[in-house]
Every structure is written in structure tokens, then in C-alpha cells.
Amino acid sequence: MKTLIIYYSLDGNTHMIAEEIKNSINADILRLKPVHDINKKGLFKILSGGKQVLRNEKPALEAFNINPEDYDLIFIGTPVWAGTFAPALNTFLSETAVKNKNIVLFCCSRGGKGKVFIKLCDILRENNIIGEMEFLSPAKSNPDEVNIKVKTWVDDIIEKLD
Ligand SMILES: Cc1cc2nc3c(=O)[nH]c(=O)nc-3n(C[C@H](O)[C@H](O)[C@H](O)COP(=O)(O)O)c2cc1C
């Protein structure tokens, strides 16, 4: 079974979870990087990111040479922005066909996941969604606890697929 982890991360939380997943399962990893990302140091970070979401923007992404078609199981991760997934995933999902795959969704938030999974499940409805998990500010949490949570969760998913 070939596994891919696709994610976007602005501040490192989703990156941390993606790396933890990679430590638990043999997988390739693709970090989506907007050519021009929002300024993560600015006071207006929430406003400019929220505006991108409300305008349904699809920021151009840096080129990548991974094709989801080549994989059986795909983890897709995003921070929650304004109650949904980040614009970089909007670009990816509108430009890349993802069909007939086993999909696992994960998000990082400050506790308000909103409709992130509902929306992703809808866009990815031609796939088999086999899991979803919200992580609350993992970069500020106890790393050992995050590690155990991810490992237990990934083990459960693999067991389901066996
Ligand atoms: C533009 C923007 C909008 C956000 N909206 C939400 C939200 O609706 N609900 C929430 O719980 N957290 C929200 N957050 C917080 C992030 O989801 C949270 O800090 C997450 O862990 C960041 O992941 P990252 O470090 O991978 O970028 C928002 C952050 C940004 C920058």
C-alpha cells in the first residue's frame, strides 16, 4: 500500500502532525506552498487569511512532482481558517483530481474546526473517507502526548485497512 501525506501549514502545527504521521507509517510527503503566502508575522494575519477564504481564493502553489494517482492511501491536512480548510488546499483540490482513494483527513485548530471536515468530505465525495482527526494547537502541546495520539490514531487506521 502506497501512502501519501499532503498538507499545508503556515505556523508549523499541521507540519508537526504531518511529520508525526510520517514517523508512524512509511509514506511520501507533500507540503503545499503558496508562491506568495500571507505574512505570518503581520498583525493582520487572521484578516488576510480570512479574506482569502471568504473570497474562495486559490493562491498559486509552488510546483511539485508528486501525483496522488500513484497512491492508495492519502492523508490530507490543513489548519482551520475561518471555519474551513486553508486556501492552499482549495488550489490543490481544484487543480488535482483525487478519486477512488482511501482518504484520512486531519486539521489543526484552536478549538473551532467549523465545517472543515464537512466541506472536505463533500469535495472528496468520490473517495472513501476512512478517518478524520482534529488537533488543538499541537505545537504548543506536550510533544510526547501528540506523538502518542498520532501513533495510536494511525495504528487504528492501518488496522482497519488490513
Ligand atoms: C487566517 C486564520 C484563520 C483561522 N481561523 C480559525 C478558526 O476558524 N478556528 C480555529 O479554531 N482556529 C483558527 N485559526 C487558528 C489555526 O487554525 C491554528 O492556529 C492552527 O493550529 C494553525 O496551523 P498551522 O500552524 O499549521 O498553520 C486561524 C488561523 C489563521 C491564520
Side-chain angles (χ1 to χ4, degrees):
M1 184 177 63
K2 277 192 82 183
T3 305
L4 174 64
I5 305 160
I6 302 171
Y7 72 101
Y8 164 78
S9 181
L10 181 68
D11 288 324
N13 291 271
T14 318
H15 173 72
M16 176 185 182
I17 300 300
E19 288 292 328
E20 291 283 359
I21 295 169
K22 192 170 158 44
N23 289 339
S24 305
I25 189 173
N26 180 23
D28 291 334
I29 194 160
L30 169 60
R31 182 174 187 163
L32 303 174
K33 292 187 181 156
V35 176
H36 302 290
D37 210 345
I38 65 168
N39 186 346
K40 60 177 174 180
K41 290 209 175 107
L43 272 178
F44 297 107
K45 177 167 87 171
I46 302 283
L47 279 180
S48 51
K51 195 172 74 185
Q52 282 192 351
V53 171
L54 292 178
R55 292 184 175 170
N56 197 26
E57 285 184 18
K58 299 179 179 82
L61 300 177
E62 287 182 11
F64 53 83
N65 59 4
I66 277 184
N67 184 358
E69 248 326 290
D70 300 337
Y71 296 86
D72 314 293
L73 171 64
I74 305 177
F75 287 77
I76 299 180
T78 178
V80 178
W81 280 17
T84 186
F85 52 86
L89 265 184
N90 201 19
T91 312
F92 176 80
L93 292 169
S94 63
E95 291 180 351
T96 314
V98 182
K99 281 184 189 168
N100 305 318
K101 303 292 176 191
N102 287 317
I103 303 275
V104 180
L105 302 173
F106 63 101
C107 74
C108 293
S109 75
R110 291 208 181 112
K113 71 178 185 309
K115 295 190 172 168
V116 65
F117 292 140
I118 294 169
K119 290 194 174 185
L120 285 173
C121 284
D122 184 39
I123 292 172
L124 293 161
R125 58 189 170 280
E126 290 175 80
N127 298 273
N128 182 26
I129 312 283
I130 56 170
E132 51 187 50
M133 185 65 82
E134 178 184 20
F135 295 88
L136 305 190
S137 303
K140 288 188 186 146
S141 308
N142 178 326
D144 292 339
E145 282 174 19
V146 176
N147 177 283
I148 289 168
K149 180 172 174 174
V150 173
K151 196 164 183 347
T152 312
W153 174 57
V154 172
D155 286 351
D156 277 359
I157 287 161
I158 301 307
E159 211 179 294
K160 256 198 250 173
L161 283 171
D162 278 346

